[in-house]
Amino acid sequence: MDLEDDTTIFKTLKSLNTFISRPEHPQRPSEQLGIGNLQSHYKRSFEILEATERVHSQHRYLQLDQEKQQMELSHKRARFELEKAASDSARDLEVQKNFMDRNQDLLERMKKLEEREKEATNNLSEQVEANRALHRNLEGLNKKLNDRDAKLTTASQAISSLKDEIRDLRQKIQNQDAAISVQTLENQELQEQLDLQRRKYQEATQLCQSLQAAKAACSEHVIKIKELERRLALQEQDIAIVKSVKSEMARLPDLEKELKRLREDNAFLRESRENCSLLKEEAEGLRKKLERMEKNKEELINIELEKERVAEKLQAWENIGQSTGLNIRKPEDLSREVIQIQQKEIALKEQNYTLSKLTQQCSKTLEEQRKRETHDALVRRLQKRVLLLTKERDGMRAILESYDSELASNEYSPQLSKRVKEAEEVLQRTQNHNTEMEAQLTKAQEETGVLKLQLQKVSVLCPSQFARQKIEDLEKERQRLEEQNNILEMRLERHNLQGDYDPVKTQVVHLKLNPTTEAKQQRQKEVEDVREELNRLRELVRSFQEGGMVAQDDSRIHTSGLNLRKQMESSELRNQRLKEVFQKKIQEFRTVCYVLTGYQIDITTENQYRLTSAYAEHMQDSLLFKKGSNGSMQLMETEFSKTLGEMVNLHLHHQKSIPAFLSAVTLDLFSRQTVF
Amino acid sequence: MTSTLKGVTLKGSAELVADFFSFGINSILYQRGIYPPETFTKASHYDMSLHITTDAKLKNYLTNVVSQLKEWLFECTVQKLVLVITCLETNEVLERWQFDIECDKSAKESSAPREKSLKTIQDEIRSVIRQITATVTFLPLLETPCAFDLLVYTDKDLVVPEKWEESGPQIIDQSEEVRLRSFTTSIHKVDSMVAYKRTNSV
């Protein structure tokens, strides 16, 4: 707004200026025209000027006023802030002052302390230096001391070792002295011994000589002694023989006696032996008997056990017998009871049968009775009706009599007489009916009597045999039917297994599009196709047979055949040429290989290559290589390769290089050729 | 399988039986060489290795039949399923694999599951399939090209669905029958048997 105002002001100012500046030019001519005009103009302009100035000033005043207000505001704020700041700073200042005071105290103290410290450090350094110097001296002294100690110890050690040595040596000397003395003593002894020995030796030689002489004598004596001894032994033997013979001779009678005794003994023993065998047999028999007895005993025990069991059973049976009151004491009793019961059963069955028949008849009689009862009821009803009618009739008669008594006989109305007649008729009819009914009743009673008689007869007769036969027949028929049923069931089962079904209950369905029909359709189609082709071929054959009928086709076939033949020939020719070229190239390649490597390579069989060196000593010297499945080459054994063991080892086994091996072989062969 | 370990519902039973048929039919087709063995792949089911066809057409046919069968099993209106093997040259029926199905129709009313574990049922099914595999030893060789068809014996009052039609029972003239094992889910009982044409040479 201010800005807009400013612009307006400037506008007015500008216009004013222009206004002021413009009239100056025409003023000059107007000056010439007259001063009054100018005066008025001047006045007016002055007034305008004043007005503008007023406006301007007013505006400026307003502006200033606003500024002043703002200033005041800002001033107020500034003052407020200042006051706040002042109060804060005053507070801070106080705190700071306190701090400062304290700080100064502290600083002073610190300074003092620092000074003290400095002094102390100075003292300390001096002391340290003194210490160090002392230390150094001490160390020097220590070192010296140590050195001396070391020397002392070494010296003492040396002394001790020397002392030890001296001691050892002294001991040795002593020992040796002792040994020497001992040895000298020994020497003396030995010499003494030697002298002794020598003497002994002389004695011994003398003795020896005497001994030899004695030995010679001795041997002779010994031979003599031996001979004598032999003789003596012979004599002794003879003596012994003689002695034994003598003793035997002396013992002979004794022996004979003994023999006799022994014979007797023998006979006795034989007898006793026989006895013994007899006894043994007896003992065996007894043992067997004993065994049998034992067995019997065991059996007896078993039997007794069984007996007890049986007795218990019997007791049980008896108990049952007592409890049932059937007086069963023995099995016969039981069987008798059973038979009785069976008979009873049969009788009951018969009774049952008769009863069933009776019941049938009873039902019949019951029906009859019912009929009779109905009849009776009818009769009763009719009797009631008759009573009623008689009463009515009596009533009527009474009325009629009263009429008769009241009226003259002439006054009998025909109507009444008619009624009476009618009533009488009715009566008559009912009476008739009654008699009829009574007749019927008696008849029915008679019938029932007859039936009752029949019933009694039937019940008395009861043809049991006939019934049994019938039952048997029925049983037979039942069995026959059962068999039939079984057979039929088997057949049914078979049919079921074969896939038969009951068309009443079951239906068979399958998918329209099933594999069988599809296969059948396909087959049909194939058959048709084949048939069509057959027909076509037949026609073709016929046409061929007729000949020339289809010349066009024939020529076409012919031309196509010619074309094919030409093509074949050209391709064969090309093949031939290619083969020739290949052969030539192969030959070239092989010769080049032979010249360059010195080996002729031949393929003997599949995957086998024979290498013949150019420098081979013999024509048949060759190496055989076989290509393995993984492409690796292996050397096969030949006569020639056997002679190359070393190279095979070195180059193939060790270095694993076939080219190196081949070149080594080549070099070897080459060197051999050139040497000779 | 919707059946729990504890029992078998009608729906679960129908699924079990339908599955059995699917695997059984595949096994027969493989064992009898109706389709070349290279069109089969091995699959493990019922803890045993089974041969399943890879032939798309055959697969489609089998799924069609089995799904319809499942429905009928659920309704308890199916009595038999028969796999008929026909000689293509003479149109003679050579083999009939018959599966008699007895449905316990009371299961339709009461939805309570039966007390029979899935494991025992699967054991029974496994033994049936094993026996089917073993029958190859005595069945005569199929020397001519053959095709198979599946017949379903249903209740008479059943409305024949679209794509299905009535068929004859395809009974074999002069046949030998062999009963095989049976299994039951306690709702459906399946007796299996095979009938084959008696060969004159024996």
Side-chain angles (χ1 to χ4, degrees):
Chain A
M1 194 160 142
D2 287 358
L3 235 139
E4 264 176 39
D5 282 349
D6 276 347
T7 47
T8 48
I9 291 156
F10 278 123
K11 231 185 210 173
T12 44
L13 267 170
K14 212 176 179 181
S15 62
L16 180 75
N17 286 338
T18 47
F19 189 71
I20 294 163
S21 57
R22 194 171 50 183
E24 276 175 4
H25 300 289
Q27 240 173 358
R28 266 163 221 163
S30 66
E31 265 177 294
Q32 291 163 349
L33 289 171
I35 298 161
N37 203 5
L38 191 103
Q39 192 77 30
S40 66
H41 200 87
Y42 181 77
K43 258 184 187 171
R44 217 168 61 199
S45 68
F46 197 76
E47 274 171 14
I48 287 163
L49 208 89
E50 263 183 346
T52 53
E53 213 156 353
R54 221 180 297 143
V55 167
H56 195 194
S57 63
Q58 212 166 1
H59 189 79
R60 248 184 112 183
Y61 172 77
L62 268 170
Q63 215 177 323
L64 283 167
D65 206 43
Q66 242 173 6
E67 271 176 349
K68 200 193 91 183
Q69 272 179 355
Q70 266 184 347
M71 287 285 275
E72 269 176 356
L73 254 170
S74 61
H75 187 238
K76 262 182 193 169
R77 216 179 292 150
R79 199 195 289 162
F80 186 71
E81 275 171 26
L82 207 83
E83 275 173 3
K84 215 176 169 185
S87 64
D88 284 351
S89 62
R91 219 183 302 144
D92 285 351
L93 211 82
E94 273 176 37
V95 172
Q96 265 180 350
K97 256 184 191 169
N98 286 339
F99 269 115
M100 284 287 274
D101 290 343
R102 241 186 253 172
N103 251 354
Q104 268 177 345
D105 287 351
L106 283 168
L107 274 171
E108 275 168 23
R109 264 190 223 168
M110 258 168 76
K111 267 176 194 170
K112 275 178 198 167
L113 282 167
E114 269 172 8
E115 276 167 20
R116 263 190 224 166
E117 205 187 329
K118 265 179 194 170
E119 281 172 26
T121 46
N122 283 337
N123 287 339
L124 203 80
S125 58
E126 277 169 24
Q127 285 282 330
V128 163
E129 271 173 35
N131 244 354
R132 258 181 220 159
L134 284 167
H135 248 283
R136 255 175 256 152
N137 285 344
L138 205 79
E139 273 171 22
L141 287 166
N142 269 343
K143 266 183 197 169
K144 273 179 196 171
L145 210 85
N146 282 341
D147 286 351
R148 268 181 207 166
D149 275 351
K151 271 179 196 169
L152 245 162
T153 47
T154 46
S156 62
Q157 272 175 0
I159 286 158
S160 61
S161 62
L162 283 167
K163 269 180 188 167
D164 285 344
E165 264 177 63
I166 287 158
R167 215 178 298 140
D168 287 351
L169 285 167
R170 259 185 209 154
Q171 262 182 350
K172 269 181 195 170
I173 287 158
Q174 278 175 356
N175 284 343
Q176 274 173 355
D177 282 349
I180 285 159
S181 59
V182 165
Q183 272 181 354
T184 46
L185 275 172
E186 270 177 346
N187 217 355
Q188 279 172 354
E189 259 176 64
L190 282 167
Q191 250 163 356
E192 279 170 19
Q193 270 181 356
L194 200 72
D195 290 344
L196 262 173
Q197 289 290 333
R198 261 181 207 155
R199 254 175 272 153
K200 268 184 193 172
Y201 176 66
Q202 278 169 353
E203 281 171 27
T205 43
Q206 278 172 356
L207 275 170
C208 242
Q209 276 167 356
S210 62
L211 197 82
Q212 267 171 351
K215 255 185 193 170
C218 226
S219 59
E220 277 171 30
H221 285 300
V222 162
I223 290 161
K224 267 184 194 170
I225 286 163
K226 270 181 187 169
E227 220 172 312
L228 285 169
E229 271 179 352
R230 197 156 41 87
R231 272 185 201 170
L232 201 87
L234 277 170
Q235 250 178 346
E236 271 179 2
Q237 274 179 356
D238 287 349
I239 288 160
I241 287 161
V242 169
K243 264 186 189 169
S244 67
V245 167
K246 260 187 193 167
S247 65
E248 271 174 29
M249 284 299 278
R251 270 164 65 190
L252 200 70
D254 289 348
L255 281 169
E256 269 174 3
K257 270 182 206 168
E258 213 170 320
L259 193 75
K260 264 185 196 171
R261 202 164 41 83
L262 282 168
R263 266 185 196 149
E264 277 168 19
D265 278 3
N266 223 350
F268 172 73
L269 281 168
R270 256 179 214 152
E271 274 173 24
S272 65
R273 200 179 67 187
E274 275 169 20
N275 282 343
C276 193
S277 62
L278 272 170
L279 285 167
K280 264 183 191 169
E281 270 174 30
E282 261 176 53
E284 194 68 30
L286 284 167
R287 201 177 293 153
K288 274 179 189 169
K289 260 188 192 171
L290 192 78
E291 276 173 17
R292 250 177 281 147
M293 287 301 283
E294 271 172 4
K295 265 186 198 169
N296 279 344
K297 226 176 174 180
E298 278 174 21
E299 273 172 32
L300 199 77
I301 289 159
N302 283 338
I303 284 162
E304 263 175 28
L305 282 169
E306 217 166 304
K307 200 196 84 185
E308 272 173 31
R309 244 181 289 149
V310 167
E312 273 173 25
K313 265 189 197 171
L314 197 72
Q315 194 68 36
W317 278 109
E318 277 174 3
N319 284 343
I320 289 165
Q322 281 172 353
S323 62
T324 49
L326 282 172
N327 194 25
I328 297 163
R329 282 293 157 107
K330 293 174 201 166
E332 293 99 89
D333 286 347
L334 185 72
S335 61
R336 189 164 42 75
E337 282 295 324
V338 169
I339 288 161
Q340 272 180 1
I341 287 161
Q342 277 174 344
Q343 276 172 350
K344 268 186 201 167
E345 204 184 332
I346 288 161
L348 283 168
K349 265 184 191 167
E350 277 170 16
Q351 273 183 355
N352 198 8
Y353 184 73
T354 51
L355 279 170
S356 66
K357 278 217 162 171
L358 273 174
T359 46
Q360 278 178 2
Q361 275 176 345
C362 270
S363 63
K364 267 186 201 168
T365 50
L366 271 171
E367 271 176 44
E368 288 289 336
Q369 252 171 345
R370 233 175 275 150
K371 260 187 198 170
R372 214 186 58 189
E373 275 169 15
T374 48
H375 282 304
D376 282 347
L378 256 173
V379 168
R380 243 175 270 144
R381 235 186 298 159
L382 283 168
Q383 275 174 342
K384 269 185 189 170
R385 246 173 119 186
V386 167
L387 270 173
L388 279 170
L389 281 170
T390 47
K391 271 184 186 171
E392 213 175 346
R393 192 193 61 186
D394 288 346
M396 283 295 187
R397 268 217 189 121
I399 292 161
L400 277 178
E401 273 168 18
S402 68
Y403 275 126
D404 280 347
S405 63
E406 275 174 27
L407 297 167
S409 59
N410 297 2
E411 284 170 332
Y412 272 53
S413 67
Q415 227 174 351
L416 276 172
S417 63
K418 206 179 167 183
R419 269 183 94 175
V420 167
K421 265 180 194 170
E422 272 175 22
E424 272 173 349
E425 267 174 35
V426 169
L427 186 80
Q428 198 70 37
R429 252 187 283 152
T430 50
Q431 268 173 348
N432 281 345
H433 194 79
N434 209 355
T435 49
E436 223 174 286
M437 288 316 289
E438 269 170 359
Q440 267 186 7
L441 189 78
T442 49
K443 219 173 139 188
Q445 271 170 344
E446 271 172 24
E447 259 179 57
T448 51
V450 170
L451 281 169
K452 262 183 190 166
L453 273 172
Q454 268 184 358
L455 194 85
Q456 276 169 352
K457 247 196 264 172
V458 163
S459 62
V460 166
L461 273 169
C462 198
S464 62
Q465 215 166 8
F466 173 72
R468 202 171 286 165
Q469 214 173 1
K470 219 173 177 182
I471 287 166
E472 276 170 12
D473 284 354
L474 284 166
E475 192 73 18
K476 272 182 196 166
E477 203 168 336
R478 195 182 61 85
Q479 276 177 356
R480 199 169 51 79
L481 285 169
E482 216 164 65
E483 274 170 29
Q484 231 173 19
N485 198 14
N486 279 342
I487 291 162
L488 284 169
E489 263 178 13
M490 290 237 296
R491 270 192 207 159
L492 198 74
E493 171 73 11
R494 233 180 104 74
H495 275 290
N496 187 34
L497 277 173
Q498 281 173 347
D500 211 357
Y501 63 102
D502 183 4
V504 181
K505 286 183 195 161
T506 315
Q507 60 181 355
V508 183
V509 294
H510 68 154
L511 259 180
K512 274 181 205 166
L513 278 171
N514 60 62
T516 307
T517 52
E518 266 175 44
K520 275 183 187 166
Q521 278 169 5
Q522 208 178 344
R523 206 174 162 73
Q524 194 79 29
K525 211 176 154 192
E526 270 172 23
V527 167
E528 273 170 22
D529 285 355
V530 167
R531 210 167 274 160
E532 254 177 49
E533 206 170 336
L534 187 79
N535 281 337
R536 213 148 38 85
L537 287 169
R538 247 183 218 153
E539 270 176 33
L540 253 174
V541 168
R542 207 179 298 140
S543 69
F544 272 125
Q545 277 172 347
E546 279 166 16
M549 279 289 279
V550 272
Q552 287 171 328
D553 280 331
D554 209 33
S555 68
R556 209 174 54 201
I557 289 161
H558 194 65
T559 49
S560 69
L562 276 176
N563 276 336
L564 282 169
R565 200 165 287 163
K566 266 187 197 167
Q567 274 180 14
M568 212 166 80
E569 273 170 10
S570 66
S571 65
E572 265 178 13
L573 208 83
R574 214 164 58 189
N575 263 352
Q576 192 72 31
R577 270 180 206 151
L578 277 168
K579 255 188 206 165
E580 278 167 19
V581 170
F582 280 141
Q583 246 169 3
K584 228 165 102 186
K585 279 278 162 198
I586 287 164
Q587 198 57 43
E588 199 182 312
F589 183 72
R590 284 186 62 188
T591 50
V592 166
C593 271
Y594 183 64
V595 168
L596 289 177
T597 62
Y599 282 105
Q600 186 185 331
I601 303 172
D602 297 301
I603 301 172
T604 55
T605 54
E606 189 80 17
N607 289 335
Q608 267 194 18
Y609 304 92
R610 192 175 62 208
L611 273 74
T612 319
S613 177
Y615 307 112
E617 290 173 308
H618 307 288
M619 278 292 280
Q620 65 270 22
D621 281 358
S622 60
L623 294 165
L624 257 180
F625 282 95
K626 190 183 180 181
K627 199 169 112 182
S629 55
N630 53 349
S632 64
M633 299 296 283
Q634 286 175 325
L635 179 69
M636 310 280 282
E637 200 179 66
T638 59
E639 285 295 322
F640 180 55
S641 72
K642 278 181 193 169
T643 63
L644 306 170
E646 260 178 56
M647 280 185 238
V648 170
N649 256 333
L650 177 66
H651 298 294
L652 292 185
H653 292 159
H654 207 261
Q655 298 174 339
K656 291 190 174 140
S657 165
I658 293 169
F661 168 66
L662 290 177
S663 44
V665 170
T666 311
L667 278 174
D668 183 43
L669 290 173
F670 182 69
S671 66
R672 267 191 233 177
Q673 273 202 349
T674 45
V675 164
F676 288 108
Chain B
M1 300 277 158
T2 52
S3 53
T4 58
L5 271 175
K6 278 200 171 171
V8 182
T9 58
L10 176 60
K11 194 160 178 259
S13 168
E15 269 179 40
L16 269 171
V17 176
D19 278 348
F20 158 70
F21 282 135
S22 176
F23 289 116
I25 290 162
N26 267 306
S27 286
I28 293 167
L29 296 180
Y30 174 77
Q31 296 294 345
R32 303 304 291 140
I34 309 299
Y35 287 82
E38 61 266 20
T39 62
F40 285 85
T41 177
K42 276 194 173 189
S44 181
H45 209 269
Y46 304 124
D47 288 336
M48 63 194 290
S49 163
L50 294 168
H51 294 274
I52 306 296
T53 184
T54 52
D55 186 310
K57 218 168 166 188
L58 178 59
K59 251 181 169 170
N60 187 29
Y61 171 71
L62 286 180
T63 44
N64 269 341
V65 173
V66 169
S67 58
Q68 180 60 60
L69 197 65
K70 206 182 283 177
E71 222 171 273
W72 283 335
L73 281 167
F74 187 61
E75 289 164 7
C76 290
T77 51
V78 59
Q79 296 170 357
K80 284 181 210 288
L81 174 80
V82 185
L83 192 157
V84 183
I85 296 176
T86 323
C87 171
L88 283 173
E89 278 177 6
T90 56
N91 278 343
E92 236 179 346
V93 179
L94 295 182
E95 271 176 35
R96 276 176 112 260
W97 294 80
Q98 186 168 305
F99 300 96
D100 288 356
I101 302 156
E102 280 172 37
C103 304
D104 185 359
K105 295 199 177 183
S106 67
K108 268 168 86 173
E109 278 96 51
S110 66
S111 60
R114 301 298 173 91
E115 292 271 323
K116 182 150 187 177
S117 79
L118 186 64
K119 197 180 168 296
T120 46
I121 295 167
Q122 283 195 345
D123 282 346
E124 285 176 24
I125 290 175
R126 186 161 55 231
S127 57
V128 174
I129 292 181
R130 284 236 173 86
Q131 218 182 12
I132 288 171
T133 313
T135 48
V136 181
T137 52
F138 64 79
L139 288 175
L141 260 179
L142 299 172
E143 283 158 339
T144 52
C146 293
F148 85 101
D149 190 10
L150 291 171
L151 309 180
V152 184
Y153 286 48
T154 65
D155 290 351
K156 187 76 183 169
D157 50 357
L158 184 99
V159 180
V160 179
E162 208 187 351
K163 290 186 183 174
W164 288 71
E165 62 179 9
E166 283 201 35
S167 158
Q170 312 263 48
I171 292 172
I172 302 174
D173 181 34
Q174 292 191 318
S175 65
E176 294 273 348
E177 300 90 26
V178 177
R179 242 181 205 294
L180 303 179
R181 274 170 197 276
S182 58
F183 76 92
T184 175
T185 66
S186 73
I187 293 170
H188 294 102
K189 182 170 187 283
V190 179
D191 292 314
S192 39
M193 66 205 74
V194 56
Y196 56 96
K197 194 169 173 61
R198 196 180 299 159
T199 46
N200 294 324
S201 59
V202 179

